[in-house]
Amino acid sequence: IAKVFYTHAGCTLVALNPFQPIPHLYSLDVMREYHSAPQPQVNTLKLPHIFIVAEEAYRNVQGQVEPMNQSLVVSGESGAGKTWTSRCLMKYYATVATSSQKCQDTVEKIERRVLDSNPVMEAFGNACTLRNSNSSRFGKYIQLQLNGSQLLVGASVQTYLLEKTRVAFQAPNERNFHIFYQMMKGATEKQRLEWMLPLEQDFAWLPHAEKTLEEDCLQETVEAMINLGIDEGKRTQIFRILAGLLQLGNVDFSPASEEAQSCDLDGHSKGKTAYLLQVPLDELQSCLTVRTLRAGKQSVLKPCTQSECGVRRDCLAKVIYAQLFDWLVTFINNSMCADNPTWCNFIGLLDVYGFECFLLNNLEQLCINYANEKLQQHFVAHYLKAQQEEYVTEGLQWSFIRYQDNQGCLDLIEGSPSSIFSLLNEECRLNRASDAKQFRVRLQKELSDNASISWDKLSKEPHFTVAHYADKVSYQIEGMMEKNKDPVPPEIISLLQKSQDSLLHSLFADGDRESEGSRGHSKVVTVVSKFKNSLESLMKILHSTTPHYTRCIKPNPDCRPLTFKKEEV
Ligand SMILES: Nc1ncnc2c1ncn2[C@@H]1O[C@H](COP(=O)(O)OP(=O)(O)OP(=O)(O)O)[C@@H](O)[C@H]1O
């Protein structure tokens, strides 16, 4: 059966998603078989399999082949099986990279924690989308750290670009992050009271709660949190904050009767939100409905419009959720990390979102597709090098073949002095209301020499089209500059700094998040700058390792078991 789902294409392993559990293909016995085979990759009994890639990387570390550190790069579109494959690789190493003497208590604990990091990160970072009922809404790179005897002694994880907008906005037929549904479905009576989540209450930010998914299991998440060392006190705080966000989603605004007054907050949810987030209710109200304008030493209070209030409410939810997610990742890292001197090599697993092209694409897709361009460049460079080395060892005559180089596209997106990113950042620094049409003119003026950008003359919406290596994608400009700034009103930060909840308070205590216009023209660290920096560090790590590529394929668009459509495969 292995033959059906895996095959090699050059230096890449191609994995077809069966959309059905195939237990005997991944059992402990199968892992041990691949691990103990003298040459897993050439043994004809051992057909192409993800464990061959895993074992090859493991032996490279062991064999002291330079460079010794390895990277397993898993790619593919949403629902293709990247997360599943990464989990499978982690299980493999947690099984084979362990001492047979079970007295090694600490090592055993580490393996458990490495595996337990998955359900926790998936509960908080995955959601049901149109394409995948367990879609990762963030990218991750996990380093599995090995000691001199090749044993797994620790791990660390780096995450990229969590789709935090999902907490306050879910596209039609999509859901919020799993954790909220887990709480709604798995809470005990006592927890329901504590979290103020009565069964009969509906939540605006919890669409499609009637859908039953296997991911909706609170028990599994809580057990994993316990194993990672998140104590009861912290868990209580985390769930209370999340419940506060659900109540916040039910807060609506009605316009004030007089123009000069601020909007009113409707219903009972505002009180519950303030209670769960442990912030003063009057300050919650004012921070959502009134803006403080500073002019020199004076400040003027200006009521927000109804729609501005909604934006501030959503912003409050997003900033809390994003900080909480980062806190969890840091906690998980501390829980899994090896003492520095004990590890000497690592195997890295990269699971990033695949190339995206929707009806409407904006800054999120631009960042994701930019990451894919970077990885494609890395892949092509490595693939050609491997091919040339093969020719040399076989003594073949060869001449350099021109290949599709995506440097032009990367220059367009991230290059200097002028690129989409640099112009977006410049626009953000100007501290003025951005105009999509003007920005389009600017792009056209500065970048039209680059062959990778074009404009559909018939389209009325301001946009630009990028010819990526995978496909052409049109990006809408409306809203892009604001997304890049990702402003957080200073009133929101100061509200959260007043929270009586020690966890929530600590997330904002040092005010390390840049807030909008707090000091005249504050130094804004934009979304694209942050993403570019984190991607550059990732590429540095990848370049210092031996890469192994796995390309996952979604063989039919409807996630049907054992269905392989020719045009998809
Ligand atoms: N080898 C496999 N065997 C059985 N089922 C699989 C396998 N690979 C993937 N699946 C199934 O396909 C679903 C989608 O896979 P997965 O979540 O790993 O996709 P993904 O590529 O990570 O998607 P996204 O980019 O949206 O996160 C899984 O929930 C699982 O049910």
Side-chain angles (χ1 to χ4, degrees):
I1 282 194
K3 201 161 137 193
V4 181
F5 304 120
Y6 292 104
T7 188
H8 291 291
C11 61
T12 306
L13 178 78
V14 179
L16 288 187
N17 184 347
F19 282 115
Q20 176 177 295
I22 317 279
H24 64 271
L25 202 55
Y26 306 101
S27 67
L28 289 182
D29 287 341
V30 175
M31 290 182 192
R32 291 195 188 105
E33 234 178 277
Y34 277 96
H35 181 54
S36 57
Q39 276 183 298
Q41 61 277 42
V42 292
N43 187 339
T44 48
L45 287 174
K46 304 281 174 289
L47 298 159
H49 196 294
I50 187 67
F51 295 156
I52 293 184
V53 179
E55 186 57 29
E56 213 167 64
Y58 190 59
R59 289 187 193 192
N60 277 0
V61 179
Q62 212 162 19
Q64 312 273 299
V65 179
E66 290 283 345
M68 279 182 285
N69 295 326
Q70 311 285 308
S71 285
L72 304 171
V73 182
V74 186
S75 63
E77 66 178 297
S78 179
K82 300 181 292 293
T83 306
W84 201 96
T85 301
S86 302
R87 249 188 266 142
C88 191
L89 287 164
M90 284 162 90
K91 274 190 209 141
Y92 186 82
Y93 294 119
T95 307
V96 307
T98 58
S99 162
S100 49
Q101 295 152 357
K102 282 295 165 200
C103 57
Q104 291 209 341
D105 213 30
T106 51
V107 177
E108 256 191 279
K109 249 198 239 158
I110 284 295
E111 297 143 22
R112 197 55 265 152
R113 290 181 173 197
V114 169
L115 296 180
D116 278 326
S117 66
N118 284 325
V120 177
M121 291 214 295
E122 288 186 24
F124 285 81
N126 287 22
C128 177
T129 68
L130 285 175
R131 282 152 294 134
N132 182 3
S133 60
N134 183 29
S135 184
S136 310
R137 310 315 301 157
F138 64 105
K140 63 176 186 287
Y141 183 66
I142 303 171
Q143 279 187 346
L144 300 173
Q145 300 155 346
L146 305 171
N147 69 5
S149 321
Q150 303 297 117
L151 300 180
L152 183 64
V153 288
S156 77
V157 56
Q158 163 80 42
T159 58
Y160 303 92
L161 211 68
L162 173 75
E163 186 198 46
K164 62 182 175 185
T165 45
R166 182 172 294 271
V167 77
F169 173 80
Q170 307 78 34
N173 288 321
E174 299 207 346
R175 300 207 317 179
N176 208 324
F177 294 102
H178 293 324
I179 189 66
F180 294 109
Y181 300 88
Q182 295 184 356
M183 287 171 66
M184 267 319 266
K185 291 178 183 184
T188 59
E189 274 310 306
K190 186 166 161 268
Q191 284 169 328
R192 244 176 233 298
L193 284 174
E194 253 176 62
W195 300 343
M196 304 180 126
L197 295 181
L199 262 177
E200 63 280 4
Q201 191 176 358
D202 283 331
F203 291 97
W205 287 347
L206 210 63
H208 307 290
E210 71 292 344
K211 217 179 214 168
T212 315
L213 296 181
E214 60 177 297
E215 283 80 16
D216 291 344
C217 183
L218 182 67
Q219 197 54 34
E220 192 189 349
T221 307
V222 170
E223 271 166 29
M225 287 168 105
I226 295 172
N227 291 340
L228 288 165
I230 304 178
D231 64 31
E232 197 184 342
K234 279 278 175 295
R235 293 199 304 277
T236 305
Q237 288 180 304
I238 292 170
F239 290 128
R240 221 177 28 209
I241 294 171
L242 294 174
L245 296 186
L246 283 181
Q247 295 292 352
L248 178 62
N250 281 9
V251 170
D252 275 323
F253 305 90
S254 49
S257 40
E258 286 174 49
E259 211 181 295
Q261 285 190 339
S262 55
C263 291
D264 293 320
L265 270 67
D266 303 332
H268 302 299
S269 285
K270 61 183 180 196
K272 291 183 182 176
T273 309
Y275 172 80
L276 289 161
L277 299 181
Q278 310 238 328
V279 292
L281 176 58
D282 56 339
E283 293 200 30
L284 172 70
Q285 299 206 36
S286 65
C287 114
L288 294 180
T289 55
V290 184
R291 183 187 351 205
T292 314
L293 298 175
R294 291 210 166 84
K297 281 189 187 151
Q298 294 200 321
S299 53
V300 182
L301 300 181
K302 185 171 182 287
C304 301
T305 62
Q306 195 179 4
S307 78
E308 284 169 346
C309 292
V311 172
R312 288 167 93 87
R313 173 199 57 205
D314 296 356
C315 177
L316 175 61
K318 286 187 283 187
V319 76
I320 293 176
Y321 197 79
Q323 289 290 98
L324 188 61
F325 186 76
D326 283 350
W327 178 88
L328 261 178
V329 173
T330 308
F331 193 99
I332 290 173
N333 273 324
N334 289 335
S335 160
M336 300 190 302
C337 79
D339 300 332
N340 227 351
T342 64
W343 72 276
C344 40
N345 292 111
F346 67 81
I347 297 176
L349 306 181
L350 182 65
D351 167 7
V352 287
Y353 10 56
F355 187 79
E356 289 190 349
C357 178
F358 303 136
L359 231 47
L360 288 180
N361 303 287
N362 207 298
L363 192 72
E364 296 86 348
Q365 283 68 44
L366 182 63
C367 286
I368 288 172
N369 293 341
Y370 158 64
N372 278 281
E373 288 285 353
K374 284 283 223 199
L375 289 172
Q376 172 71 5
Q377 188 179 49
H378 179 258
F379 169 76
V380 171
H382 173 78
Y383 186 77
L384 286 184
K385 189 164 158 259
Q387 289 291 310
Q388 289 170 21
E389 278 170 6
E390 204 171 309
Y391 292 163
V392 171
T393 39
E394 289 184 8
L396 293 177
Q397 289 278 328
W398 60 279
S399 58
F400 188 78
I401 300 165
R402 272 193 66 81
Y403 59 92
Q404 199 194 342
D405 182 4
N406 63 348
Q407 188 58 49
C409 185
L410 280 167
D411 288 343
L412 171 73
I413 300 173
E414 61 161 4
S416 64
S418 240
S419 59
I420 297 172
F421 281 2
S422 77
L423 293 172
L424 270 174
N425 283 345
E426 217 177 284
E427 184 64 35
C428 290
R429 253 176 258 124
L430 290 176
N431 219 357
R432 61 169 188 204
S434 299
D435 180 276
K437 285 201 180 102
Q438 263 176 23
F439 189 68
R440 197 204 97 116
V441 174
R442 187 90 215 277
L443 284 175
Q444 202 157 8
K445 191 165 147 240
E446 302 264 346
L447 303 174
S448 48
D449 284 350
N450 191 305
S452 301
I453 194 165
S454 60
W455 289 269
D456 175 2
K457 296 205 173 59
L458 296 177
S459 167
K460 287 205 180 73
E461 293 296 315
H463 76 288
F464 58 90
T465 303
V466 177
H468 289 287
Y469 74 94
D471 206 350
K472 278 190 169 182
V473 180
S474 271
Y475 298 94
Q476 62 169 171
I477 299 176
E478 197 67 63
M480 192 176 264
M481 286 77 91
E482 205 58 14
K483 281 181 188 228
N484 189 32
K485 263 189 255 178
D486 195 19
V488 179
E491 297 90 349
I492 284 187
I493 302 291
S494 55
L495 172 80
L496 294 168
Q497 287 173 338
K498 286 185 193 132
S499 172
Q500 294 293 312
D501 181 293
S502 59
L503 175 61
L504 191 54
H505 175 84
S506 73
L507 297 182
F508 297 91
D510 50 6
D512 68 340
R513 199 178 182 307
E514 300 285 336
S515 64
E516 171 198 46
S518 47
R519 260 163 264 108
H521 39 264
S522 64
K523 199 175 127 271
V524 187
V525 184
T526 62
V527 169
V528 300
S529 301
K530 251 187 273 177
F531 189 61
K532 183 169 178 252
N533 286 341
S534 61
L535 208 57
E536 266 160 17
S537 328
L538 172 70
M539 295 317 290
K540 256 191 216 144
I541 299 176
L542 284 188
H543 282 300
S544 71
T545 60
T546 305
H548 305 260
Y549 299 96
T550 299
R551 175 63 197 265
C552 300
I553 307 264
K554 186 177 181 179
N556 72 79
D558 317 311
C559 309
R560 272 201 308 266
L562 299 181
T563 307
F564 305 97
K565 289 209 160 167
K566 227 186 194 157
E567 55 277 23
E568 312 284 336
V569 182

